[in-house]
Amino acid sequence: MSQNVRRMHCPADAVLAVLADGWLYPAWVVGASRMRQVDRHWPEPGAELHHSVGAWPLLLDDRTVSVERTPTSLTVLAKGWPLGEARVRIEVRTSGAGCLVRLQEEPTAGPARWLPRGLLEPMLRLRNRESLRRLAFLSEGRAAAVNPPARIPAAG
């Protein structure tokens, strides 16, 4: 199982809000290129995100299904055939003035499941590092927009 952790400079609620907005999925998930549909009850278990992977004109339509949601985590089954499927868990914990986000990914079906761990782990770690970086940009930006820093009035 591949695991990445990133400290984010925003409240945990800002990260959870981005995860709950299925339309933002391709903005932070490396490989997802566009959204086609988001179930109304996303991210509740059983809800689906209908997305495409790849780059135009070589796009594959696929989906991601919510498996479990708690107040501080989301677990999904990400489908990306012909590469396969992976169980992805994202946990968000308050830490100081910000939060820690842990992303764990484990291939569950398809060719990726059979790749040697020494080959697969570095690829997943790099991709998920970038996904967490993008998630931080969105979450920290959202938090700053909701709670802008106090401004010092200009001297007159």
Side-chain angles (χ1 to χ4, degrees), residues 61-136:
D61 291 344
D62 231 316
R63 63 193 174 98
T64 292
V65 180
S66 176
V67 175
E68 179 184 21
R69 180 185 184 201
T70 73
T72 60
S73 70
L74 176 64
T75 303
V76 300
L77 183 60
K79 300 181 178 198
W81 288 96
L83 295 176
E85 300 176 3
R87 185 178 180 93
V88 180
R89 181 172 176 82
I90 303 167
E91 297 177 37
V92 185
R93 302 273 186 229
T94 298
S95 176
C99 61
L100 289 175
V101 180
R102 178 172 40 183
L103 189 154
Q104 297 173 305
E105 180 173 356
E106 182 172 13
T108 57
R113 186 169 182 225
W114 305 110
L115 285 175
R117 211 163 191 69
L119 180 63
L120 183 62
E121 285 280 333
M123 291 187 304
L124 290 177
R125 189 167 290 121
L126 284 172
R127 189 193 65 191
N128 291 336
R129 180 186 308 152
E130 176 61 18
S131 289
L132 285 177
R133 182 175 171 260
R134 294 176 184 188
L135 181 60

Side-chain angles (χ1 to χ4, degrees), residues 14-24 28 38-43 49 69 74 142:
V15 178
L16 294 166
V18 171
L19 296 176
D21 185 345
W23 290 104
L24 292 176
W28 67 272
V38 175
D39 284 357
R40 282 184 308 119
H41 54 285
W42 178 264
L49 298 177
R69 180 185 184 201
L74 176 64
R142 175 176 283 215

